[in-house]
Amino acid sequence: MPQQPADIYVAVGSNIAPEKNIPAAVQRLRDCAESCTVSTFYRTRPLTRPEQDDYRNGVVWIRASLERDHVERDLLMVIEADLGRVRSGDKHAARPIDLDLAAYAGEGRATWIHPDVLARNFIATPLAALAPGLPLPNGMTAADNATALGRDGLVPDEALTHDLRKLQR
């Protein structure tokens, strides 16, 4: 039986050439999807490395016939590798691209939510813009969770967002 289309929300971030790497990643996500919608992208300070360049973070919502178990291994990690991401033991290292499965909603309901959605406003806020009513494991909707986390440190990157929205379909 063919896989039914799912709503797949991908957290996208970069602090090495984000103006090049983020559009390349969004284009690759778009190419494998029936539809693609981009949140506002935000400029954010690195969590633990103030000497690093700012990140650009947002969420891309794709509708695609992909099983959750294959999204990270067969899609996200491949795109990261193709765009020069090398994983090291340093989880706070600067990176050309960071793609994380933020949420997966198959058959009309959320079946998986990344724990960072509940704790990091640079993921929660863009996810809430795309799926405000998405129920989360903490009993809140995506919109309520984003409101609770606040918007401190989020600076909209209007130019990048404008360019990325040209890739939507």
Side-chain angles (χ1 to χ4, degrees):
M1 172 184 268
Q3 170 73 26
Q4 293 296 313
D7 293 311
I8 301 166
Y9 300 89
V10 179
V12 179
S14 171
N15 73 335
I16 297 174
E19 66 286 342
K20 177 186 96 170
N21 290 313
I22 291 175
V26 170
Q27 182 65 53
R28 294 276 301 270
L29 291 168
R30 178 186 181 265
D31 288 347
C32 73
E34 296 173 16
S35 63
C36 175
T37 305
V38 178
S39 75
T40 297
F41 270 68
Y42 297 91
R43 179 184 292 264
T44 60
R45 295 293 306 145
L47 291 175
T48 62
R49 303 278 173 78
E51 73 280 2
Q52 290 182 0
D53 289 339
D54 287 351
Y55 276 86
R56 301 308 185 285
N57 289 291
V59 172
V60 175
W61 169 23
I62 61 171
R63 186 148 180 80
S65 297
L66 299 169
E67 293 181 28
R68 185 189 69 82
D69 294 340
H70 297 282
V71 171
E72 282 191 310
R73 184 185 67 235
D74 299 333
L75 179 62
L76 304 184
M77 290 181 78
V78 170
I79 294 171
E80 285 182 337
D82 288 350
L83 293 177
R85 170 93 188 258
V86 177
R87 292 187 180 271
S88 68
D90 182 358
K91 70 178 192 170
H92 297 289
R95 56 203 65 179
I97 197 70
D98 186 21
L99 302 174
D100 291 309
L101 180 59
Y104 183 93
E107 299 179 11
R109 61 184 175 81
T111 57
W112 191 85
I113 304 288
H114 194 290
D116 285 350
V117 168
L118 306 178
R120 296 187 173 167
N121 68 351
F122 59 83
I123 300 173
T125 297
L127 176 64
L130 297 175
L134 186 70
L136 302 179
N138 62 3
M140 295 179 158
T141 64
D144 292 338
N145 185 66
T147 298
L149 291 174
R151 297 174 62 101
D152 287 349
L154 299 180
V155 178
D157 187 327
E158 294 177 18
L160 178 61
T161 300
H162 175 77
D163 290 345
L164 293 172
R165 289 199 169 141
K166 293 176 185 176
L167 300 174
Q168 294 185 138
R169 68 165 169 208

